[in-house]
Amino acid sequence: MASDSDLKYMSGFGNEFASEDSRCPGALPEGQNNPQKCAYGLYAEQLSGTAFTAPREENQRSWLYRIRPSVLHEPFVKTERGNLTHDWDSVEPNPNQLRWHPFDIPQEKTDFVQGLSTVCGAGDPKCRSGVAVYIYVCNTSMGDKCFYSSDGDFLIVPQLGGLSITTEFGRMKVDPNEICVIQRGMRFNVAVTGDTRGYMLEVFNDHFVLPNLGPIGANGLANPRDFLTPTAWYEDRDVEQYTVISKYHGHLFSAKQKHSPFDVVAWHGNYAPYKYDLSKFMVINAVAYDHADPSIFTVLTCPSLKPGTAVADFVIFPPRWSVQEHTFRPPYYHRNCMSEFMGLIYGAYEAKEEGFRPGGASLHSLMTPHGPDAECFEKASSAELKAEKIATGTMAFMFESSYSMAVTEWGNQNKVDPNYSHCWQTLQKHFNSSWKPNGDGKQQKTFTF
């Protein structure tokens, strides 16, 4: 099982890293050129995350020094993909607000890949454009199997139970309230110790980066030094049959080989998996008036070609102080040019304390109105405006995308809350045409709750 000793600080996106298993000192070549023969009889293999000719500041690749090259496997054959799909057109569009109750853990033995179900998404991985949102539920380790995506980068958000993830770069233990990113082409295995559930976002276009801070300045939000990437760890293990599962064009393919794929003794580069502890997020919030836009809570973003518009943002709503004056503090009512998929890791989300539960989800599609429920609105409109700690013991998050996401057949048939819209139906009309401002220009209260 991986521990923090198996990880090292990234100390900044885009930086070069070098790591070798302590059992094989000198496995990393010295100098700029590789020798004719690698140390310890290893093979050199490059994993490229960007085009060779991408600008230097955007170029991502790593060199892996491994016992056997990854090409050593039998041909891929198509395999059962279960509830995993990128068919966005088989179900009629639905612009309504959607909410899902917590997704069930299967009774039968189910590993991470078998427990993947596509909830919604848009685009086409063949064109390297789009996103997909998944729920994973599992109770069994993958054993002698590994998984990778040729389609995009995975952002994994555990909600129930931790994941012990072995990658070609090393090992990571990812618990609830942590996230990890495993990028395109990286092979990984997931081990669990019991019932496990969580959320996963895949982006087809590009990679996640830290958002620009703009007027915030040099500090705040997610700090680069808090991201961890694995240290090299290898196993030299021959097996009767090891299965490599590839996600390609939204389908699954499997290939057999007779050795563990996690035989990388050393690696260097800037293309590697990483994890982040959400409790380390530095919240920036308003201290005078008006509710800040949720973009102020962005942890990671995958930018589109249009400046300021994301393929996908990963946004969190952590515990924080609410201290604004003369304003409505909960999230405002909203119609948006983005799709908003929300999940709850633990606790009670302040704008939906009833019905939105850990392990469940909601989707507010492009231009579909949403906002706090009636109970939240009435309570907040009458509350004393004093400094208040909110979201204590809570961690909600949002996958926000500029794509108009469609819900899959599985998403429409599993754990959908048919009564979600009821939470707004008791909102009252408070309009008073005879309202007059007070002498000081402030609003005169003419109604109570």
Side-chain angles (χ1 to χ4, degrees):
M1 180 178 293
S3 66
D4 283 346
S5 62
D6 297 308
L7 303 164
K8 60 183 178 183
Y9 284 105
M10 292 186 72
S11 69
F13 278 77
N15 287 359
E16 282 274 338
F17 305 101
S19 180
E20 63 184 15
D21 193 304
S22 60
R23 291 170 288 177
C24 295
L28 280 171
E30 296 184 6
Q32 294 185 357
N33 297 317
N34 291 340
Q36 183 180 6
K37 293 184 179 180
C38 297
Y40 298 96
L42 299 172
Y43 288 88
E45 178 177 289
Q46 184 175 226
L47 179 61
S48 295
T50 57
F52 297 143
T53 52
R56 179 182 290 269
E57 65 272 15
E58 299 174 7
N59 206 298
Q60 294 190 39
R61 62 88 180 96
S62 286
W63 281 97
L64 313 178
Y65 300 91
R66 58 192 318 150
I67 297 171
R68 298 176 182 85
S70 60
V71 72
L72 187 57
H73 62 74
E74 297 177 6
F76 283 101
V77 295
K78 197 169 183 180
T79 189
E80 174 62 40
R81 61 174 174 170
N83 300 317
L84 191 151
T85 181
H86 296 336
D87 179 3
W88 316 122
D89 297 321
S90 61
V91 177
E92 287 294 314
N94 181 4
N96 288 300
Q97 303 95 342
L98 292 172
R99 182 164 68 188
W100 290 269
H101 296 304
F103 295 93
D104 294 331
I105 308 293
Q107 296 297 313
E108 64 277 9
K109 287 187 175 181
T110 304
D111 67 28
F112 180 84
V113 177
Q114 294 167 336
L116 279 176
S117 297
T118 312
V119 182
C120 56
D124 185 355
K126 296 190 293 294
C127 298
R128 300 282 296 272
S129 177
V131 296
V133 175
Y134 311 92
I135 294 295
Y136 70 82
V137 286
C138 58
N139 52 28
T140 302
S141 299
M142 288 177 62
D144 285 340
K145 292 193 289 187
C146 70
F147 181 45
Y148 74 93
S149 176
S150 298
D151 294 335
D153 288 9
F154 288 143
L155 189 159
I156 302 173
V157 185
Q159 183 272 319
L160 175 67
L163 304 177
S164 294
I165 301 177
T166 302
T167 76
E168 295 172 275
F169 295 79
R171 300 173 293 178
M172 300 185 293
K173 180 69 165 63
V174 187
D175 292 313
N177 214 44
E178 296 179 323
I179 62 167
C180 72
V181 171
I182 301 177
Q183 286 140 290
R184 190 190 314 266
M186 297 177 181
R187 299 177 177 184
F188 66 100
N189 170 284
V190 176
V192 299
T193 58
D195 290 350
T196 309
R197 178 174 58 203
Y199 312 84
M200 188 166 76
L201 171 66
E202 184 175 21
V203 292
F204 305 147
N205 301 57
D206 209 338
H207 305 301
F208 289 102
V209 296
L210 291 172
N212 292 321
L213 295 180
I216 293 174
N219 305 290
L221 309 188
N223 290 308
R225 68 182 184 89
D226 291 326
F227 289 80
L228 297 169
T229 196
T231 56
W233 177 88
Y234 76 92
E235 58 179 8
D236 182 9
R237 185 165 64 91
D238 295 327
V239 297
E240 188 66 28
Q241 178 176 287
Y242 202 103
T243 303
V244 179
I245 302 171
S246 170
K247 179 178 175 290
Y248 182 75
H249 292 182
H251 296 265
L252 295 185
F253 299 82
S254 64
K256 309 298 182 186
Q257 61 185 48
K258 295 186 178 299
H259 63 277
S260 167
F262 305 118
D263 61 355
V264 176
V265 178
W267 64 270
H268 71 82
N270 62 352
Y271 190 55
Y274 54 90
K275 64 174 280 187
Y276 175 71
D277 182 345
L278 299 180
S279 69
K280 296 182 182 297
F281 187 80
M282 171 58 180
V283 178
I284 304 292
N285 211 350
V287 295
Y289 58 87
D290 287 349
H291 192 286
D293 293 329
S295 52
I296 204 71
F297 300 112
T298 302
V299 179
L300 292 169
T301 184
C302 178
S304 73
L305 295 177
K306 185 176 182 180
T309 302
V311 170
D313 286 330
F314 175 64
V315 179
I316 63 173
F317 303 100
R320 59 199 184 276
W321 283 94
S322 185
V323 295
Q324 305 98 308
E325 299 175 319
H326 310 301
T327 192
F328 181 68
R329 292 184 178 182
Y332 44 77
Y333 293 100
H334 193 205
R335 290 178 293 166
N336 196 3
C337 59
M338 308 283 276
S339 298
E340 299 181 0
F341 178 93
M342 285 194 63
L344 186 59
I345 299 172
Y346 58 83
Y349 180 56
E350 62 265 24
K352 298 280 193 316
E353 293 190 5
E354 296 295 329
F356 185 51
R357 293 182 284 161
S362 67
L363 175 65
H364 302 136
S365 298
L366 258 68
M367 294 303 170
T368 295
H370 54 279
D373 59 28
E375 181 180 356
C376 176
F377 176 82
E378 295 189 10
K379 180 180 177 181
S381 298
S382 304
E384 180 184 357
L385 291 179
K386 60 181 180 180
E388 178 185 17
K389 188 74 174 287
I390 63 170
T392 301
T394 295
M395 183 62 76
F397 73 88
M398 180 167 65
F399 298 150
E400 185 175 68
S401 174
S402 58
Y403 285 90
S404 183
M405 294 196 287
V407 179
T408 63
E409 183 177 359
W410 184 90
N412 273 311
Q413 294 178 353
N414 284 271
K415 310 303 291 186
V416 176
D417 180 356
N419 299 317
Y420 182 29
S421 63
H422 294 181
C423 72
W424 294 291
Q425 299 310 308
T426 56
L427 285 166
Q428 300 296 310
K429 171 184 167 183
H430 299 295
F431 177 68
N432 183 348
S433 61
S434 62
W435 175 86
K436 301 294 182 183
N438 290 329
D440 59 6
K442 294 182 180 179
Q443 177 178 333
Q444 181 179 18
K445 292 185 177 179
T446 59
F447 54 86
T448 59
F449 295 104

